[in-house]
Amino acid sequence: MTFLVSQDLSFRIPVELSYDSSDPYAVEITFHLPGDAPVSWAFARELLLDGLSKPTGEGDVRIAPASPEGLSDVFIRLQVGCERALFRAGAAPLVAFLDRTDRVVPFGQEPAACDPVGDLDAELHRILAEDRYAG
């Protein structure tokens, strides 16, 4: 990915894209900046998908195609307060990444992957077991 510092200054930085089916709505990008600890941003997987074809996002994360013609590079803007960072990424690696996430949890099937009832039952069982042993 390219970090666009200004119109005249940019440099390539290694990034890592990750996806965890236990949080099926989110993707994470970890930036490995020279001399700094890695910085990770998590945001909606659907935001990344939509940003490949049209400007999308509000607030801290905004994604837009670099060109209106076909599948091109993508701009990713991250913001914390008044501080902003702009990155440019090739669309092809992002599409390949999203395709891999879709094989793990298909788009639209995220609620089934969450299974909050199963997690709630396990957590209640653990809490009740602790209460029995504590008293």
Side-chain angles (χ1 to χ4, degrees):
M1 208 174 269
T2 302
F3 179 29
L4 304 169
V5 179
S6 70
Q7 283 188 340
D8 300 326
L9 178 62
S10 65
F11 56 93
R12 303 226 5 115
I13 60 169
V15 299
E16 180 182 340
L17 296 165
S18 58
Y19 179 73
D20 185 346
S21 62
S22 67
D23 187 5
Y25 292 99
V27 295
E28 186 173 274
I29 297 180
T30 301
F31 300 92
H32 299 277
L33 301 167
D36 287 332
V39 176
S40 295
W41 280 74
F43 53 89
R45 176 171 70 150
E46 196 167 318
L47 180 72
L48 183 57
L49 177 66
D50 291 346
L52 293 170
S53 60
K54 64 183 180 203
T56 188
E58 297 178 10
D60 297 345
V61 180
R62 295 180 189 219
I63 303 173
S67 168
E69 300 145 10
L71 200 56
S72 66
D73 286 355
V74 175
F75 289 117
I76 300 174
R77 191 188 83 188
L78 307 174
Q79 182 172 340
V80 176
C82 295
E83 299 294 320
R84 292 182 184 166
L86 183 62
F87 301 90
R88 187 176 185 139
L94 297 176
V95 168
F97 169 72
L98 288 169
D99 183 56
R100 288 191 303 275
T101 70
D102 188 57
R103 285 188 234 146
V104 175
V105 177
F107 282 95
Q109 299 299 313
E110 294 90 350
C114 289
D115 189 17
V117 174
D119 293 341
L120 180 60
D121 286 343
E123 187 62 18
L124 286 173
H125 185 291
R126 185 188 66 76
I127 291 168
L128 292 173
E130 286 177 2
D131 285 347
R132 278 188 221 128
Y133 294 116

